[in-house]
Amino acid sequence: MAVIVLASQASAQENPDPARGKRVYRGTCIACHGPTGKGGIPGTPDFTKSKGVLSQGDSILTDHIKSGFRSKGSAMPMPAKGGNPRLTDQDIQNVLAYLHEEFGDGN
């Protein structure tokens, strides 16, 4: 029975927390994406743009964050986990919650 309890605890993930996501954004993402979400360097996507990058599904966005991604027209790809190998899956979900809350969903 203890194995079942441990397995369920290990697989449990917190609900996304935009406040924690904001802290991760400020510590990892802001250098390229900027404080306004409009992109701090050429080719960085504008999170505030109607029908922009945030209009994609979270599974796609999660994959781009985890694996890295090169936006069309960007001279420099985003490194995996924004260059922060310590980012957890929970951190990524928190960042996505923050992006949607702060910049909208691109619609």
Side-chain angles (χ1 to χ4, degrees), residues 18 28-29 33-34 39-40 43 46-47 51 55 70 74 77-78 82-83 94 98 102:
T28 301
C29 315
H33 293 284
D46 181 348
F47 293 142
K51 304 291 184 192
S55 66
R70 182 184 294 260
S74 177
M78 183 180 97
N94 292 342
Y98 167 71
E102 183 70 17

Side-chain angles (χ1 to χ4, degrees), residues 37-72:
K38 292 181 182 266
I41 59 175
T44 305
D46 181 348
F47 293 142
T48 67
K49 187 176 178 184
S50 178
K51 304 291 184 192
V53 68
L54 293 181
S55 66
Q56 298 177 85
D58 279 355
S59 63
I60 292 170
L61 297 172
T62 297
D63 181 60
H64 289 175
I65 295 169
K66 280 184 172 184
S67 303
F69 185 75
R70 182 184 294 260
S71 298
K72 187 176 182 177

